[in-house]
Amino acid sequence: MLGVWWLLAAGAVLWVPGVPGLSNGLARTPPMGWLHWERFMCETDCEKNPSNCISEQLFMQMADLMAAEGWLKAGYKYLCIDDCWLATKRDANNRLKADPTRFPGGIKKLADYVHARGLLLGIYQDVGTKTCAGYPGSQGFYELDAQTFADWGIDLLKFDGCNYGNLTMLEDGYRRMSIALNRTGRNIVYSCEWPFYARRLTKVNYTEVAEYCNSWRNFDDIEDSWTSLKTVIDFTSALQDQLVPAAGPGGWNDPDMLVIGNFGLSWNQEVTQMALWSIMAAPLLMSNDLRDIHPRSRELLQNQEVIAVNQDPLGVQGYRVLKVDSFELWEKPLAGGSLAVSVTNRQEIGGARQFHLSRGMLWKGLACGDKCCLTQLLPTRYEYGCFNETFILQLPVNPSGTVLLRVE
Ligand SMILES: *[C@@H]1O[C@H](CO)[C@@H](O)[C@H](O)[C@H]1NC(C)=O
Ligand SMILES: *[C@@H]1O[C@H](CO)[C@@H](O)[C@H](O)[C@H]1NC(C)=O
Ligand SMILES: *[C@@H]1O[C@H](CO)[C@@H](O)[C@H](O)[C@H]1NC(C)=O
């Protein structure tokens, strides 16, 4: 099915067919799960840091918690390994192998463990000669590595782009790995960083990227800070004319991990990330420590109504409609003519400020006719009731916080 998108331009509503994503039947809604990078990075010293090093024990603990504490039930099903899982050399048959000290059971056994809990396992490799952290890359071994992952029972591959050589090798590598994964016959979600690396060298052809990848990174790694979060949001809105039409069922722009539940964001900033990642139809890959997470952050990450905005079957990526007086208004068309709407207060001084939301600011085709029913989903749930054509809501929005609404 073709994705569709709308954009308010010069007061007119444009309706443009979007791009069909990679047709492997996967990621028809944005993938959800957990990825180790932002929180655990490349800690390989298990003697000094046994509980936080990149090891099978860490992933087994996360798998247990994802199954036991409502994460899987909420939709977070991909448990994903990032860089630094590999041994420093391939084996005698050139096959990849995991670091034998930190993953003594090997990846196949870990995949069995994860699958037994109803979860799926993601892994990491790189299109170049070495991964970003310097472990053996896949260049020259795309078919062999794809087959190794399939043999192990891998369900998602994050394919990084360090040490790629030149642009031709980068792009050919991403295409070849996509084809190689397909030929294994196993369902493996393919998460690319192709546009992030190619953007520096050329104009990215998103139509093509979406034909080969289920999701793709466009911008820098996220960090655990409001500054980092803002740069990702601003990059996405600045490029929305390119990015929004590329997204749809089967292929998604990936603004990188959810860092909710860590150290760097205030409560209001956590709400902003959850609201905007849902509006942006972003993959929801948490990077946090599920063994130690504030109940309020857990509740936010597991909010079913907010997740439903992200996972909406229409698969349209939301976009910024308005930037005025240090407020940002975003909207995301949903199936059945509904709309998700967010208002962020980008003023970082003072208290809550009132935003006056009127129907005329929103997508004109709002299918609710003379009866628009509004529910606030974040920061707290509130039923505003139903209105006819004219309404003006006075929304108090906290500094660096966001109000997320659903309009039926
Ligand atoms: C890229 O590098 C490869 C291998 O060194 C070489 O064969 C090819 O000509 C290069 N392509 C471009 C466009 O520079
Ligand atoms: C391989 O590609 C074909 C054609 O796009 C698709 O129908 C099939 O589902 C894919 N198989 C896998 C395992 O990805
Ligand atoms: C972009 O890729 C698509 C699909 O591969 C192709 O049909 C199209 O011609 C490309 N556009 C440009 C400008 O190269």
Side-chain angles (χ1 to χ4, degrees):
M1 194 184 94
L2 292 185
V4 290
W5 67 292
W6 292 259
L7 191 62
L8 280 171
V13 178
L14 302 179
W15 188 89
V16 182
V19 175
L22 173 59
S23 58
N24 57 2
L26 303 173
R28 305 304 295 170
T29 62
M32 293 176 64
W34 185 94
L35 175 62
H36 93 240
W37 188 258
E38 194 287 320
R39 178 64 188 254
F40 295 96
M41 301 182 71
C42 192
E43 176 57 81
T44 54
D45 190 339
C46 292
E47 272 174 36
K48 282 209 185 102
N49 202 351
S51 58
N52 295 313
C53 66
I54 305 312
S55 68
E56 63 183 26
Q57 185 195 306
L58 180 71
F59 292 97
M60 287 157 76
Q61 287 177 350
M62 293 304 160
D64 291 347
L65 289 164
M66 283 173 80
E69 301 200 340
W71 300 106
L72 174 58
K73 199 158 156 270
Y76 296 94
K77 65 180 178 194
Y78 288 95
L79 173 62
C80 302
I81 305 170
D82 208 288
D83 205 347
C84 304
W85 63 273
L86 282 158
T88 52
K89 285 203 168 65
R90 291 174 177 268
D91 75 9
N93 301 314
N94 278 330
R95 297 244 299 182
L96 292 171
K97 65 173 196 223
D99 181 276
T101 333
R102 293 180 286 118
F103 293 84
I107 302 296
K108 169 98 179 62
K109 241 180 155 174
L110 180 58
D112 291 345
Y113 187 93
V114 164
H115 292 155
R117 279 147 191 78
L119 297 157
L120 299 171
L121 186 65
I123 208 160
Y124 167 101
Q125 245 298 0
D126 188 286
V127 73
T129 50
K130 284 185 169 156
T131 71
C132 296
Y135 294 88
S138 280
Q139 200 168 90
F141 301 99
Y142 298 126
E143 289 73 22
L144 179 62
D145 291 354
Q147 193 55 53
T148 303
F149 295 144
D151 294 346
W152 286 344
I154 292 296
D155 306 293
L156 179 149
L157 173 64
K158 172 177 172 176
F159 211 40
D160 212 337
C162 284
N163 307 303
Y164 55 82
N166 58 35
L167 180 63
T168 310
M169 294 159 88
L170 175 79
E171 299 197 306
D172 280 351
Y174 274 105
R175 292 184 196 104
R176 275 183 64 179
M177 187 49 112
S178 181
I179 294 164
L181 290 171
N182 180 281
R183 293 213 173 126
T184 68
R186 186 173 173 84
N187 286 332
I188 301 176
V189 170
Y190 185 40
S191 162
C192 298
E193 299 211 25
W194 176 353
F196 171 63
Y197 290 93
R199 272 183 68 238
R200 305 165 184 178
L201 310 165
T202 184
K203 186 165 166 18
V204 174
N205 182 343
Y206 279 97
T207 309
E208 195 191 7
V209 171
E211 283 172 1
Y212 285 98
C213 303
N214 290 122
S215 67
W216 49 87
R217 287 274 308 282
N218 299 296
F219 190 61
D220 300 343
D221 285 3
I222 201 164
E223 295 183 4
D224 186 12
S225 75
W226 175 234
T227 303
S228 169
L229 191 52
K230 280 188 293 185
T231 62
V232 177
I233 293 167
D234 292 344
F235 171 88
T236 306
S237 52
L239 252 78
Q240 64 183 8
D241 290 0
Q242 275 180 61
L243 301 183
V244 170
W252 310 98
N253 290 292
D254 179 5
D256 211 6
M257 296 158 272
L258 292 166
V259 295
I260 296 165
N262 293 317
F263 311 99
L265 301 186
S266 71
W267 166 245
N268 282 283
Q269 293 157 2
E270 292 196 339
V271 167
T272 291
Q273 190 179 30
M274 194 66 191
L276 284 179
W277 262 236
S278 295
I279 290 269
M280 294 190 294
L284 298 180
L285 296 171
M286 307 177 282
S287 193
N288 49 20
D289 189 346
L290 300 177
R291 299 166 301 189
D292 177 19
I293 183 166
H294 195 289
R296 191 164 70 171
S297 301
R298 176 187 321 183
E299 210 178 297
L300 175 63
L301 287 161
Q302 294 187 359
N303 186 312
Q304 280 306 289
E305 288 180 302
V306 178
I307 290 173
V309 169
N310 173 270
Q311 297 284 302
D312 183 81
L314 190 59
V316 174
Q317 178 174 335
Y319 42 86
R320 195 174 71 190
V321 179
L322 193 65
K323 185 180 179 184
V324 63
D325 190 22
S326 297
F327 285 110
E328 291 196 11
L329 174 67
W330 292 59
E331 67 182 11
K332 177 185 198 283
L334 304 174
S338 302
L339 195 68
V341 177
S342 70
V343 181
T344 305
N345 177 2
R346 292 287 295 264
Q347 184 170 293
E348 296 173 16
I349 188 168
R353 293 190 304 139
Q354 302 278 337
F355 182 79
H356 306 283
L357 178 71
S358 63
R359 192 168 158 188
M361 290 173 173
L362 301 174
W363 179 46
K364 292 213 174 57
L366 254 189
C368 51
D370 62 0
K371 251 197 154 191
C372 288
C373 303
L374 276 89
T375 309
Q376 178 177 295
L377 306 181
L378 291 175
T380 50
R381 195 174 195 288
Y382 182 76
E383 298 269 6
Y384 278 100
C386 303
F387 302 81
N388 43 27
E389 282 119 63
T390 51
F391 64 78
I392 296 189
L393 283 190
Q394 313 266 349
L395 292 174
V397 196
N398 293 333
S400 70
T402 295
V403 168
L404 179 67
L405 301 164
R406 189 179 171 112
V407 189
E408 306 284 351

